[in-house]
Each structure stands twice: as C-alpha cells, then as structure tokens.
Amino acid sequence: FLKSPPRLACQQHLKARRFGGASCWWASLPWSSRPAMTEWWVSQKKHWCDICKVWTGGHIQQILKHKGGRMHIDHEAKMLKDAREREKDRQKEEESLKNELEAIEQAAAAAMARDQAAARAGVVARAATVAGAAGAAAPAAGALSVEAMAAQKAQIEQTAAAAKRRRLDEAGINPDAPPGSPWTRHTDPGSGVYYYYNASTATSSWQEPPEFARALAAAEASADAQAA
C-alpha cells in the first residue's frame, strides 16, 4: 500500500512527476523515512531595529552582531547628531525670543523716561505758544511709541506661547489639563478670561493654583525633553 506524496512537495519533485527526470532527495527516500514537509519550515523569531528600521534575527547573538555592525553604528551616530542639532535649534529659538523681549522692555523703559522728561520740561512755563504746543505734542508721540512697543512685546509673547503649546501638542499633553494636577483650566465665555476648576473638591478659582502651575511646568519640561 503506497501513500500519495504530500501536496507540499518541492518543485523538483513535482517537475519529476510531470515531465520525468531525477526526483529530489525527499522522493528518493523510503516512505517510512520521509519526513513531513511541515517539519522543515519553522518560523524564526525576528528583531526590529528602531534605529536602522530593518528586521534582523531574533537570537541574542544576531542582535548583538547587528548592533556592532557598521550600518547600525552609523545610524545611531546620525540619530544622536540630529537630536543634538534639534536641541541647539530649540535653545537658539528660546534665546532669540528672550533677547527680543529684553530689547523691547529696554526700549519701552527708555521711551517712558523720555516721556517723563518731556512732561517735566513742559511744566516749566514758556511765554511762547509754540513751545507749549511742542511740549504737548512730544508726550503724544512718546505715548504712541510706548503703545507700539507694548503691541510688539505682546506679539512676541503670543509667539512664544504658541511654540510652547505646539511642543505640548506634539508630546500628546493637554496644557489645560496637565498630568498630575486635580485642576483644569477653562475660558469664561463672557469675558474670555481663564478660570480654574477642581473636580475633586468642586471648587473654582480665578487665580492660577500652585498645583496647576507646577504640573504645567513639569509637562512643558517633559515636552522639551521629548523634542530634544
């Protein structure tokens, strides 16, 4: 009694049965000695390298060999270099914003000092009407300069706040509900002002609670670390 060969026979065996010719080693064995085809195909564990973005063998020796290879070392060095470059760019951006804010504050202080000096000079009465008109016009020009400086400072502060919020969003952190704080931040629809609510105690506050401020600072530091 002869069993028919399994359907998963190799290509050489199938060609030999159809067209004639030498069969494969599997077909040349006695039926009792032929192993099942499935015993020869075993799925091996694989290891995914997050740095090189490739699959390697899952054995510890194969993983160590890959990590010691030139490709992995080059990719790891490039990843560290890119991380350092991103950290430098972030520090440059923060330093630039800080310098701009300091320059605007200095200019606003200088303009205010000029306005005060002009106001004191205008107190000294002059007989000429032109001198009085010029003394009245000088504070107005100074006030416009101070308003322009204040608007520019507010715009830079908004840009810095938007950059912080973008980093928090990229890290998956909600700035209105930072992790580790029982307080959440909301906007009053009538005035547009922030208020804070504690769901545990069912209390609200117009002032920023210290717990919320500490949790938000920790979340911003975590987002900066992830961006680096």
Side-chain angles (χ1 to χ4, degrees), residues 142-187:
L144 291 176
S145 176
V146 171
E147 291 177 357
M149 292 294 182
Q152 188 175 1
K153 179 181 178 181
Q155 182 178 3
I156 291 179
E157 290 177 347
Q158 291 177 359
T159 303
K164 288 184 178 180
R165 189 176 186 93
R166 184 176 66 252
R167 287 196 294 270
L168 290 173
D169 292 341
E170 291 175 353
I173 299 174
N174 183 5
D176 294 329
S181 172
W183 294 88
T184 54
R185 183 171 61 186
H186 307 272
T187 303

Side-chain angles (χ1 to χ4, degrees), residues 11 22 45 65 78 106 114 125 128 130 133 137 143 152 203 206 209:
Q11 294 294 326
K45 184 173 66 173
K65 180 179 179 181
K78 184 178 183 300
Q106 292 176 1
R114 288 195 301 269
V130 177
Q152 188 175 1
T203 56
W206 291 104

